[in-house]
Amino acid sequence: MVESLKPVASLKGRDFLSNLDLSPAEYRSVLDTAHAMKRGAFKGLRPLEGQTLAMIFEKPSLRTRTTFEVAMNQLGGHAVNLTNAEIGLGTREPVRDIALNLERWVEGIMARVYLHSTVEELAQYASKPVINGLSDLLHPVQLLADYQTIEETFPDTRGLKVAYIGDGNNMANAHIQCAVLSGAKLTIATPRGYEPNAIIYMEALKLGANITLTHDPRAAAEGAQVLYTDVWVSMGQEAEASQKRKIKDFAGFQVNPAMLELIDPDGIFLHCLPAHYGEEVVEEATLHPKSRVFDQAENRLHAQKALLYHLLG
């Protein structure tokens, strides 16, 4: 096996609930492995032979479920899909009991949930690695794929101008954490009242991240080398009475071809999907020559495969 692709000993058996659960060196190792795996490393090898990943889904999923399941399969392991209708997190059984059961059967747990406290509780009680596949606070596995995609165009991300335009949600929070690890110069543009988590923001600043908060989306997009957006109405918020007001508050924050003209001529556009066309983005932006949206979706497989290899390998 290539020396640089040996599992990082410090990651063995660890939880991955946020991007800052990785040191800068560990983050670099995971991304280097993801790039190598995309080039074909481990093809025909089965480093996770006989291992099983339990996948818990409170929220529906296309990319998270498919990529984690395919990743385990390609590494020689197996994934078990557990919907909330089947296990009833915190209702049919306490989260603690679910963790204490699963740790007896599987080598790892991936959970895509509503509350961040759920993945924290799973990690507290399970002796096996717990991976945050998405929570209301953070989406760390998505950011690994995002920065793999960014590095395919811009190999050195130190000082890279990244603009996140939209809601200060779990994606914005995860971008803040990755600004610490990547060295990118991050600008987040949100309407007033929709800023990202203040604790996560202040922690990143203390760790030396270069982050600017603004309410001007055009100023954020101007000259950006990476332009990123996400849905304005997150999953689970669709029935809220404030949805119409929220969409109104985000007027001017839509990514469209005119906004893409503002970014660096060699810049790229990313969206973690699914897209709400006509709201935060239009189809012409997703299909634009500057778009790397579907490369980004592909890289969920490679980045998560690398993560699983280091945590379970």
Side-chain angles (χ1 to χ4, degrees), residues 1-296:
M1 186 178 296
V2 178
E3 180 69 26
S4 63
L5 294 184
K6 286 185 177 180
V8 175
S10 63
L11 287 174
K12 173 72 173 176
R14 291 252 300 275
D15 298 319
F16 182 67
L17 308 187
S18 85
N19 290 105
L20 291 184
D21 285 338
L22 302 178
S23 70
E26 291 166 343
Y27 161 83
R28 185 70 264 147
S29 293
V30 171
L31 284 190
D32 285 346
T33 304
H35 287 301
M37 285 180 165
K38 188 172 183 177
R39 293 192 298 267
F42 290 99
K43 189 173 183 180
L45 301 178
R46 299 173 66 83
L48 299 188
E49 180 79 46
Q51 298 204 42
T52 301
L53 178 73
M55 304 193 303
I56 296 173
F57 290 97
E58 276 193 299
K59 293 185 173 186
S61 170
L62 169 64
R63 280 154 294 278
T64 301
R65 177 180 177 181
T66 304
T67 52
F68 268 108
E69 189 163 345
V70 172
M72 283 300 291
N73 180 270
Q74 290 186 358
L75 292 172
H78 178 66
V80 175
N81 181 48
L82 301 168
T83 67
N84 201 41
E86 295 166 318
I87 63 174
L89 277 168
T91 53
R92 182 174 180 268
E93 290 191 67
V95 174
R96 176 202 62 209
D97 288 10
I98 291 171
L100 292 173
N101 275 268
L102 287 175
E103 70 171 6
R104 307 295 181 101
W105 307 321
V106 303
E107 284 68 44
I109 301 168
M110 187 283 297
R112 180 179 169 88
V113 299
Y114 286 99
L115 300 178
H116 190 72
S117 59
T118 300
V119 291
E120 291 180 323
E121 190 171 0
L122 285 168
Q124 177 184 353
Y125 288 104
S127 60
K128 305 296 174 61
V130 173
I131 298 170
N132 178 5
L134 177 142
S135 71
D136 61 345
L137 185 66
L138 293 165
H139 197 356
V141 292
Q142 178 66 56
L143 263 292
L144 293 179
D146 294 344
Y147 269 86
Q148 180 181 358
T149 310
I150 290 168
E151 288 181 359
E152 289 173 342
T153 299
F154 302 104
D156 186 356
T157 59
R158 291 171 297 179
L160 190 74
K161 295 179 180 179
V162 177
Y164 175 94
I165 294 176
D167 190 19
N169 57 14
N170 51 3
M171 287 305 310
N173 295 334
H175 268 281
I176 288 172
Q177 291 193 335
C178 261
V180 176
L181 298 171
S182 68
K185 182 179 180 181
L186 175 66
T187 300
I188 293 181
T190 69
R192 295 185 187 277
Y194 294 97
E195 295 83 0
N197 183 280
I199 294 174
I200 290 174
Y201 172 61
M202 293 305 297
E203 179 186 20
L205 292 182
K206 290 178 182 177
L207 291 171
N210 188 334
I211 305 169
T212 301
L213 301 183
T214 181
H215 304 298
D216 186 342
R218 291 182 62 85
E222 188 75 43
Q225 292 161 292
V226 179
L227 180 64
Y228 199 112
T229 194
D230 185 27
V231 295
W232 297 338
V233 181
S234 296
M235 198 178 304
Q237 298 178 348
E238 294 89 348
E240 290 185 2
S242 61
Q243 180 179 353
K244 289 184 179 179
R245 188 185 75 180
K246 190 171 187 180
I247 292 174
K248 181 180 178 182
D249 290 344
F250 279 80
F253 283 78
Q254 183 185 82
V255 176
N256 50 42
M259 185 172 284
L260 291 180
E261 289 300 315
L262 298 174
I263 73 174
D264 186 277
D266 296 321
I268 61 174
F269 168 58
L270 300 177
H271 189 309
C272 56
L273 299 178
H276 292 178
Y277 291 122
E279 294 180 13
E280 81 282 354
V281 69
V282 295
E283 291 184 58
E284 292 83 357
T286 300
L287 301 175
H288 194 277
K290 292 182 178 179
S291 173
R292 300 295 183 272
V293 169
F294 298 106
D295 294 332
Q296 179 186 3

